Amino acid sequence: MAMRTAALAASWGYKHLVVRAIQGAATDSAASKKSQTNESQSESSPSNWKVKMLYDGDCPLCMREVNMLQERNKSYQSIKFVDISSDDYSAQDNQGLDYETAMGRIHAILHDGTIVKDVEAFRKLYEAVGLGWVYAITKYEPIATIADSVYGVWAKYRMQITGTLSIA
């Protein structure tokens, strides 16, 4: 292990090694939490949901937010959670959003079938669990444009940042 670590440090540099070590620990933790989340998801998905959240269950950082929203949703029962990384994911059941599209950016589906994405999706999800104030300012310009731009950068690089595999 020490030899492998030294070889990695030499070829990637110390910075990349530290990032990889952190990502590895986060990925292991996320994998165990993902199985727990998938089990609780089927039990706790409300039938009268207001917003359906499409999320990547293989993304450790994404799962932190999902877990927080699921905890809040226990009181509200307003969000249905759908793991797009699950073998059971169906575009047909989710307004035709295929895996690649759903993986590219966060998407949510409102009860009337309207698809929202990016910061607007977060805003709708947070509103559904009584935390609308967190994203309220993103309704107004120029904040809306700035927030979507920042999220766009995150969405583009999230797989590299979190150490998950690319969908390509």
Side-chain angles (χ1 to χ4, degrees), residues 41-63:
Q41 172 185 330
S42 59
E43 297 168 8
S44 66
S45 277
S47 57
N48 295 326
W49 53 271
K50 295 178 183 173
V51 184
K52 185 189 295 187
M53 178 185 195
L54 306 184
Y55 68 93
D56 177 7
D58 288 333
C59 171
L61 192 56
C62 305
M63 286 308 301

Side-chain angles (χ1 to χ4, degrees), residues 11-111:
S11 64
W12 285 7
Y14 180 75
K15 177 181 164 187
H16 289 93
L17 178 62
V18 171
V19 169
R20 272 305 199 195
I22 292 169
Q23 290 170 344
T27 301
D28 293 344
S29 172
S32 66
K33 286 183 180 179
K34 179 181 176 185
S35 65
Q36 293 169 355
T37 299
N38 286 342
E39 290 167 9
S40 67
Q41 172 185 330
S42 59
E43 297 168 8
S44 66
S45 277
S47 57
N48 295 326
W49 53 271
K50 295 178 183 173
V51 184
K52 185 189 295 187
M53 178 185 195
L54 306 184
Y55 68 93
D56 177 7
D58 288 333
C59 171
L61 192 56
C62 305
M63 286 308 301
R64 284 181 182 228
E65 190 143 21
V66 169
N67 291 335
M68 182 278 296
L69 288 169
Q70 285 179 325
E71 188 63 33
R72 293 279 304 188
N73 196 50
K74 288 178 183 177
S75 298
Y76 290 86
Q77 294 295 300
S78 56
I79 301 174
K80 180 175 183 176
F81 297 90
V82 177
D83 182 355
I84 59 178
S85 68
S86 167
D87 291 337
D88 297 334
Y89 180 74
S90 165
Q92 186 176 8
D93 295 339
N94 295 290
Q95 298 301 100
L97 288 169
D98 61 48
Y99 174 76
E100 289 79 15
T101 301
M103 284 293 284
R105 307 177 93 69
I106 189 170
H107 290 78
I109 302 169
L110 305 183
H111 196 52

Side-chain angles (χ1 to χ4, degrees), residues 144-154:
T145 301
I146 294 168
D148 276 334
S149 296
V150 170
Y151 175 76
V153 171
W154 159 253

